[in-house]
Amino acid sequence: MNLHCATGIAALAALGTLATPALAQTAAPADAKPPEPFTFTGNFGIYSQYVFRGLTQTDRKPAFQGGFDVAHTSGFYAGTWGSNISWLHDAGVVSHGGSLEWDFYGGYKQTFADDWGIDAGVLQYYYPGSYLPGVTNPDTTELYVAGSWKWASLKYSHAVSDTFGVPDSHNSWYLDLSANYPITDTLTLNAHVGRQEYRGHNNGFANGDTLNYTDWKLGITWAAGGWNVGAYYTDTNAKDAGYTLAGRNIGKATGTVFVQRTF
């Protein structure tokens, strides 16, 4: 979603003050057109793995991701995005499907005073599939609000449903502080730290101390001609008791490389 000799001068200025609105309009280019109200964009990327909030979603295997967005000049926008995943299979909770994350979102974004911005909306994480009896559906709905200044942003996401398959976890939240600092016109330094907090009784699934964690990321992105190529390193303090799938803690330190294109 994206928006950049004295007497002679005195004589011209004097003439300018005599110009009428009608004459000024006539001087405008005849083929000038108002900006289109809607902007459509798409994206596609290949990643060595899919890492979400510090947790690998594909057991460190490649991910293919893409989406589409539409934005209106008023500031409203909507979009969809998807990626392959494996964590539901690794957790042993699916009987059919469970290999796709398909997101839907919409909201309002606006900039003001040049450097400041706001963004608020709703995001639905959808995991199509059939789940074993007694398993909490991982589909999750979050409301979010974010503020930004130049290359830094702070975003708060609040779940109004059970959260990623954790029972009785309404009102869980995630706080995301990110910075994308432009080193040059083509190189950007990417940094992030986030905090995931689970709320509710979790029906004995695990207590908050087991599930709550902090994650961070540091990377670099090179952009040219609509292409983005980059790498980043992520780590968390997620505990083995809450995040071990297929015999491995999915929040352990790991590196990711990617190539992505926006069109």
Side-chain angles (χ1 to χ4, degrees):
M1 323 184 197
N2 308 300
L3 304 151
H4 206 38
C5 45
T7 56
I9 293 175
L12 289 172
L15 288 173
T17 59
L18 298 177
T20 65
L23 290 175
Q25 292 173 3
T26 303
D31 58 349
K33 297 180 179 179
E36 295 292 334
F38 290 98
T39 301
F40 296 89
T41 58
N43 61 86
F44 177 78
I46 302 175
Y47 292 71
S48 61
Q49 65 177 321
Y50 171 24
V51 176
F52 173 70
R53 295 180 181 175
L55 309 176
T56 179
Q57 308 291 288
T58 54
D59 194 25
R60 302 189 180 185
K61 296 178 178 63
F64 301 89
Q65 305 176 348
F68 296 93
D69 296 273
V70 57
H72 190 265
T73 52
S74 64
F76 289 99
Y77 64 87
T80 185
W81 179 90
S83 175
N84 61 291
I85 60 170
S86 68
W87 67 273
L88 291 168
H89 281 278
D90 297 336
V93 299
V94 294
S95 57
H96 177 72
S99 298
L100 172 68
E101 176 187 329
W102 190 4
D103 300 343
F104 306 90
Y105 50 87
Y108 176 81
K109 181 185 295 186
Q110 198 60 260
T111 58
F112 55 96
D114 295 331
D115 295 331
W116 297 88
I118 57 171
D119 184 7
V122 58
L123 170 56
Q124 174 69 39
Y125 301 86
Y126 174 51
Y127 302 93
S130 299
Y131 299 90
L132 299 177
V135 171
T136 300
N137 192 301
D139 296 348
T140 303
T141 304
E142 289 185 339
L143 305 178
Y144 60 85
V145 60
S148 63
W149 173 80
K150 292 186 178 180
W151 38 264
S153 66
L154 181 65
K155 180 179 180 180
Y156 174 79
S157 300
H158 189 96
V160 293
S161 67
D162 284 328
T163 309
F164 304 118
V166 176
D168 187 29
S169 55
H170 287 67
N171 298 317
S172 299
W173 55 265
Y174 185 77
L175 187 63
D176 174 0
L177 177 62
S178 296
N180 296 292
Y181 181 76
I183 303 172
T184 68
D185 289 341
T186 58
L187 282 178
T188 300
L189 178 67
N190 313 118
H192 150 87
V193 62
R195 178 67 180 177
Q196 178 71 64
E197 290 272 350
Y198 280 89
R199 291 292 181 262
H201 300 294
N202 307 138
N203 291 340
F205 175 80
N207 60 41
D209 291 338
T210 301
L211 292 177
N212 300 339
Y213 70 93
T214 299
D215 72 284
W216 63 273
K217 178 176 87 170
L218 186 64
I220 193 166
T221 301
W222 175 75
W227 290 92
N228 297 298
V229 179
Y232 50 85
Y233 178 87
T234 56
D235 197 5
T236 79
N237 64 354
K239 296 181 179 180
D240 292 347
Y243 293 96
T244 297
L245 301 181
R248 178 161 53 192
N249 186 329
I250 62 175
K252 289 295 186 183
T254 184
T256 305
V257 295
F258 68 92
V259 57
Q260 185 261 359
R261 179 168 177 79
T262 300
F263 53 89

